[in-house]
Amino acid sequence: MQLRLTAKENFTHEKKITIAIGGSKSESNRLLILQALFPNICIKNLSTSDDTQLLQQALRSQEHIIDIQHAGTAMRFLTAFFAIQEGKETVLTGSKRMLQRPIKPLVDTLNNLGANITYANQEGFPPLKIIGQKLTKNVVAIDANMSSQYISALLLIAPKLKNGLTLNLTNKPTSLPYILMTIELLRAIGVQVTVQDDYSSIVVAPFSESLHSTHFTVAPDWSSASYFYSLIALSPIGSKLCLEGFQKNSIQGDKAVVDLYKNFGVETTFKEKYIEIKKEALPTFTKIELDLNKTPDIAQTIAVTCLGLNISCTLKGLHTLKIKETDRLVALKNELEKFGAQVSTTQDSLNLESVPITTTKAISIKTYNDHRMAMAFAPLALKTPIVIEDSKVVSKSFPNFWEAIQNSGIHIVSE
């Protein structure tokens, strides 16, 4: 379904508008794996995203073949989870794009620990045939620059291994906050985790004691909040929105939007039960360079914000975007250039030479089966009419996105 987006006439963000954003997909998916390993855990405010629902279904399923469709986190986490389910045989598969996304580093690491995982088709890629084993080896190395999800998948099962796990990380970790989120959740239930200062090694002790924490309430999703930061950045000075439930002490790495969007004149005020984000000033620069190695999921949002503000940008640390739902660097280049911008990419960076948006004709945005492409471009409707193709793709992480964005000042019509 296509949606046509335009700015609402005479809409003002000066009145109080409150938006509710669902629970974090990243927190939810980690907690679901921990709950499957430690059934006493209770979880509230689970994400309603497709990815989280697919993971729940997979964990409940008694089927031999598990299809997780586009859910990349589920693929990585379940590969490790099923590897330790003794005697259980599982074939783990997914969508056409999922079968193109590499998983060899994780499979190799698990097999080095004694797992029995083979490829059902092409080596290095799903589908995977997994025969659950009791893993007794406890020291292994993995390249930490490939995907933080590989690291988290291993850490989540580590307390259930007979001898725990010493995970030696080669190279600088990518998306480090997601690894730290996993560690914080393990510690919250009482697992002893020791981390070297330079993140060269993480040691997880085996855990068989009673849980310290058994009740978890998933916090709202900071990645989803980023689209509203972009919307306020593209709004007139004085515009503001309130986002329910966000707290300063979040373990989510994408809380970095608070500081990143100060660059674009957006200030955040933390209240007891919500945050207020407000456009306080116009940017005084014409070009910005940012390293998003720790927060690659908000790269698309920032690129579109820069386009809307006619700010050139160089965004670095983006190598993981090549293996997401689509090649996000290629997708961004294709869609940003429709507005007249000049875009170049490398394996891990994007350079945008921006131009003023002068067109009044609606530009059609392809989403490439990628929820973040749809949501990142939506705020640009404040500057020029746009059409979002395959709009339902947002259900992967934020099913109520279009309702929320419409309440924030954008007029939406189905086409």
Side-chain angles (χ1 to χ4, degrees), residues 100-113:
Q100 299 170 345
R101 296 177 69 177
I103 199 165
K104 191 173 189 297
L106 177 59
V107 170
D108 285 351
T109 306
L110 286 164
N111 282 342
N112 287 339
L113 287 170

Side-chain angles (χ1 to χ4, degrees), residues 70 98 138 204 218 307 320 334 339 367 381:
H70 292 300
M98 185 58 63
N138 69 328
V204 182
V218 178
L307 176 73
T320 59
N334 292 344
F339 297 88
T367 54

Side-chain angles (χ1 to χ4, degrees), residues 207-219:
F207 186 74
S208 58
E209 303 170 13
S210 60
L211 300 176
H212 287 189
S213 297
T214 57
H215 289 76
F216 292 87
T217 299
V218 178

Side-chain angles (χ1 to χ4, degrees), residues 2-67:
Q2 290 191 161
L3 296 179
R4 182 183 176 92
L5 278 60
T6 54
K8 288 184 179 178
E9 291 185 15
N10 302 318
F11 186 87
T12 176
H13 285 108
E14 293 180 359
K15 62 182 180 178
K16 184 175 180 179
I17 300 171
T18 301
I19 303 296
I21 294 176
S24 161
K25 177 165 69 79
S26 298
E27 286 188 41
S28 295
N29 290 353
R30 284 159 173 77
L31 285 169
L32 283 171
I33 295 294
L34 289 177
Q35 184 184 57
L37 296 172
F38 303 98
N40 289 339
I41 291 175
C42 297
I43 312 170
K44 293 183 178 179
N45 198 40
L46 270 174
S47 168
T48 58
S49 66
D50 288 351
D51 280 17
T52 296
Q53 292 186 37
L54 285 164
L55 180 56
Q56 285 181 285
Q57 292 168 16
L59 290 168
R60 290 194 299 258
S61 177
Q62 299 300 314
E63 299 296 321
H64 172 61
I65 299 175
I66 303 292
D67 185 351

Side-chain angles (χ1 to χ4, degrees), residues 379-415:
L380 199 60
L382 294 180
K383 298 295 184 180
T384 185
I386 59 174
V387 173
I388 302 291
E389 300 177 14
D390 190 20
S391 60
K392 292 183 179 180
V393 73
V394 301
S395 66
K396 188 176 193 299
S397 64
F398 194 167
N400 300 324
F401 175 75
W402 297 118
E403 178 184 348
I405 207 76
Q406 186 161 247
N407 292 338
S408 304
I410 291 178
H411 183 62
I412 301 178
V413 178
S414 299
E415 289 195 340

Side-chain angles (χ1 to χ4, degrees), residues 110-404:
L110 286 164
N111 282 342
N112 287 339
L113 287 170
N116 185 346
I117 306 173
T118 55
Y119 301 104
N121 191 358
Q122 182 181 358
E123 182 173 351
F125 300 87
L128 304 175
K129 180 179 178 181
I130 306 169
I131 301 175
Q133 306 287 314
K134 183 176 183 178
L135 307 186
T136 56
K137 295 180 182 178
N138 69 328
V139 180
V140 75
I142 188 170
D143 184 349
N145 194 40
M146 301 292 289
S147 171
S148 66
Q149 291 180 7
Y150 299 158
I151 313 297
S152 288
L154 294 162
L155 294 177
L156 287 168
I157 64 167
K160 278 293 188 179
L161 304 186
K162 179 181 178 181
N163 299 310
L165 180 65
T166 296
L167 190 59
N168 295 319
L169 306 183
T170 60
N171 293 320
K172 179 182 177 181
T174 191
S175 303
L176 178 61
Y178 288 95
I179 299 172
L180 298 180
M181 176 192 295
T182 305
I183 291 170
E184 286 304 307
L185 291 173
L186 288 171
R187 286 173 171 166
I189 65 171
V191 176
Q192 181 182 338
V193 185
T194 305
V195 184
Q196 290 287 344
D197 291 341
D198 61 355
Y199 297 102
S200 61
S201 178
I202 303 173
V203 180
V204 182
F207 186 74
S208 58
E209 303 170 13
S210 60
L211 300 176
H212 287 189
S213 297
T214 57
H215 289 76
F216 292 87
T217 299
V218 178
D221 187 54
W222 277 101
S223 304
S224 297
S226 71
Y227 311 115
F228 298 94
Y229 274 83
S230 180
L231 185 139
I232 291 299
L234 298 178
S235 298
I237 290 176
S239 300
K240 59 186 178 182
L241 283 175
C242 297
L243 305 179
E244 289 184 352
F246 288 88
Q247 302 292 326
K248 274 187 177 180
N249 62 351
S250 172
I251 61 174
Q252 299 172 46
D254 283 349
K255 178 179 173 287
V257 294
V258 171
D259 292 324
L260 287 168
Y261 270 82
K262 288 180 180 179
N263 293 302
F264 307 115
V266 179
E267 295 292 334
T268 304
T269 303
F270 285 86
K271 307 287 188 177
E272 184 178 353
K273 295 184 179 180
Y274 64 92
I275 56 171
E276 180 185 88
I277 56 176
K278 185 176 181 180
K279 182 67 174 287
E280 295 281 9
L282 295 173
T284 57
F285 52 87
T286 59
K287 186 162 187 175
I288 189 171
E289 181 174 314
L290 297 170
D291 185 345
L292 301 179
N293 178 273
K294 294 181 178 179
T295 55
D297 280 347
I298 56 179
Q300 291 145 292
T301 313
I302 290 176
V304 173
T305 300
C306 288
L307 176 73
L309 294 173
N310 190 22
I311 293 172
S312 297
C313 66
T314 298
L315 307 180
K316 298 181 177 180
L318 307 182
H319 59 283
T320 59
L321 298 194
K322 304 288 290 183
I323 57 170
K324 294 289 187 177
E325 286 78 354
T326 184
D327 183 332
R328 287 177 173 168
L329 292 178
V330 171
L332 269 174
K333 175 179 168 64
N334 292 344
E335 303 312 302
L336 291 169
E337 288 182 340
K338 291 179 178 179
F339 297 88
Q342 294 183 346
V343 182
S344 60
T345 64
T346 68
Q347 284 296 109
D348 68 350
S349 69
L350 178 142
N351 185 75
L352 165 70
E353 296 294 334
S354 192
V355 295
I357 296 175
T358 57
T359 181
T360 57
K361 180 182 177 181
I363 301 292
S364 186
I365 303 299
K366 287 184 64 176
T367 54
Y368 305 84
N369 292 318
D370 184 355
H371 55 133
R372 298 203 189 281
M373 286 297 291
M375 295 186 287
F377 274 88
L380 199 60
L382 294 180
K383 298 295 184 180
T384 185
I386 59 174
V387 173
I388 302 291
E389 300 177 14
D390 190 20
S391 60
K392 292 183 179 180
V393 73
V394 301
S395 66
K396 188 176 193 299
S397 64
F398 194 167
N400 300 324
F401 175 75
W402 297 118
E403 178 184 348

